[in-house]
């Protein structure tokens, strides 16, 4: 197994695919997707374009859908919710399809949607994702961070490092055999430095600042937790998990 970490969709190769690709957007898109599926959502369907989300979801029975739209950290008009995982309670999402469009996270998923196996990961389901990978043993594995509009984000990289570190421990694969690029080694180092202070790291992160300005400190606290859910969102068809 060779693991490659890419910090953003823009830095991810577009001329080839991995055997398995994992999209990560700790703050907050993939955390929201994991939470929604864990709370009983029927599926999550992702869109980079909000108008397309509105058109497609229009053909879905209204009692069977929930529309989540976020731009710049705030809810998009005309949607049922923004991108807070805390809104994904069983009474809101159970049995419904979550149609979701966010600034960066949905683009990360779309950039790897052609891989034979596509997962969504966050800190909250890190261990479940690692167990899935240890069973499947893909030859090439990519972890793609969402970043923010093309730039690096601490929280996605620390999550990539958390997955890589735990995968190494569970499989016994050495770092030199596992790491496909320097970003993987850097991500593990970042995780080892901050593993006991992940919430503090979120407070240092630029997107953490943005969310705090928008009064989302409870979201940061939720997203900074590790291994609290066992749901692993797996793509069933392009754009649908
Ligand atoms: O960028 C994204 O996709 C979002 O997760 C951003 S936010 O956390 O909802 O502001």
């Amino acid at each position: 197994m060779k693991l490659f970490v890419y910090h953003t969709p823009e830095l991810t190769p577009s001329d080839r695919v991995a055997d398995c690709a994992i999209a990560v957007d700790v703050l907050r898109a993939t955390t929201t997707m994991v939470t929604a599926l864990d709370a009983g959502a029927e599926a999550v369907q992702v869109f980079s374009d909000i108008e397309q989300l509105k058109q497609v979801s229009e053909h879905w029975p209204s009692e069977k859908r929930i529309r989540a739209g976020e731009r710049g950290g705030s809810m998009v008009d005309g949607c049922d919710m923004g991108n807070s995982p805390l809104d994904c309670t069983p009474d809101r999402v159970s049995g419904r399809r979550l149609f979701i469009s966010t600034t960066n996270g949905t683009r990360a998923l779309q950039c790897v949607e052609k891989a034979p196996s596509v997962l969504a990961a966050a800190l909250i389901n890190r261990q479940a994702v690692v167990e899935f990978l240890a069973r499947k043993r893909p030859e090439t594995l990519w972890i793609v961070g969402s970043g923010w509009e093309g730039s690096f984000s601490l929280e996605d990289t620390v999550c990539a490092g958390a997955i890589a570190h735990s995968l190494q421990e569970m499989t016994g694969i050495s770092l030199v055999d596992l790491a496909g690029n320097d970003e993987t080694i850097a991500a593990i180092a970042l995780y080892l430095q901050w593993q006991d202070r992940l919430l503090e790291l979120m407070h240092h992160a630029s997107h953490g600042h943005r969310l705090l300005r928008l009064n989302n400190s409870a979201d940061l606290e939720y997203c900074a937790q590790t291994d609290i859910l066992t749901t692993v969102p797996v793509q069933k068809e392009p754009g649908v998990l």
Side-chain angles (χ1 to χ4, degrees):
M1 182 160 32
K2 272 287 175 203
L3 166 59
F4 298 79
V5 171
Y6 297 108
H7 294 313
T8 63
E10 289 77 4
L11 290 169
T12 304
S14 54
D15 57 348
R16 55 190 187 276
V17 292
D19 298 319
C20 176
I22 306 177
V24 172
D25 186 9
V26 172
L27 294 175
R28 294 168 289 175
T30 53
T31 302
T32 295
M33 292 172 198
V34 172
T35 305
L37 289 169
D38 196 80
E42 173 262 323
V44 171
Q45 189 162 354
V46 302
F47 297 83
S48 47
D49 183 57
I50 194 82
E51 289 314 315
Q52 206 194 350
L53 178 155
K54 287 180 181 168
Q55 278 166 23
V56 173
S57 60
E58 215 37 60
H59 301 293
W60 212 258
S62 57
E63 70 284 3
K64 291 272 179 207
R65 71 170 186 230
I66 182 150
R67 297 192 272 205
E70 167 277 332
R71 288 295 177 271
S74 301
M75 179 174 140
V76 174
D77 283 347
C79 289
D80 306 304
M81 58 176 267
N83 185 25
S84 174
L86 302 178
D87 285 339
C88 297
T89 53
D91 59 315
R92 262 193 115 178
V93 302
S94 182
R96 295 176 174 218
R97 178 168 293 215
L98 180 74
F99 293 87
I100 183 167
S101 177
T102 69
T103 312
N104 306 284
T106 50
R107 284 193 308 115
L109 267 165
Q110 287 185 327
C111 104
V112 294
E113 70 182 12
K114 292 199 175 63
S117 172
V118 177
L119 315 178
L123 288 167
I124 57 167
N125 70 339
R126 182 273 306 256
Q127 198 53 31
V129 167
V130 170
E131 282 164 19
F132 180 99
L133 296 171
R135 273 196 313 276
K136 296 272 177 193
R137 302 252 174 173
E139 227 165 88
T140 52
L141 170 62
W142 292 359
I143 303 180
V144 176
S146 302
W148 185 268
E149 296 181 338
S151 55
F152 174 92
S153 72
L154 279 172
E155 65 278 9
D156 294 341
T157 304
V158 86
C159 181
I163 294 169
H165 177 67
S166 173
L167 190 58
Q168 227 197 310
E169 290 209 318
M170 184 170 283
T171 60
I173 303 175
S174 69
L175 181 58
V176 72
D177 284 333
L178 183 67
N181 61 1
D182 289 0
E183 287 89 330
T184 303
I185 297 167
I188 293 172
L190 184 72
Y191 171 67
L192 292 176
Q193 175 78 20
W194 288 91
Q195 58 182 325
D196 301 323
R197 294 174 295 143
L198 290 170
L199 181 57
E200 189 185 334
L201 182 69
M202 306 277 164
H203 281 253
H204 288 300
S206 54
H207 189 45
H209 290 174
R210 191 177 290 110
L211 289 173
L212 289 171
R213 278 197 302 274
L214 294 165
N215 297 320
N216 289 312
S217 66
D219 283 40
L220 258 67
E221 275 171 39
Y222 179 77
C223 296
Q225 300 175 98
T226 45
D227 308 336
I228 58 164
L229 299 182
T230 55
T231 294
V232 179
V234 178
Q235 183 174 260
K236 303 171 186 160
E237 58 184 88
V240 181
L241 302 155

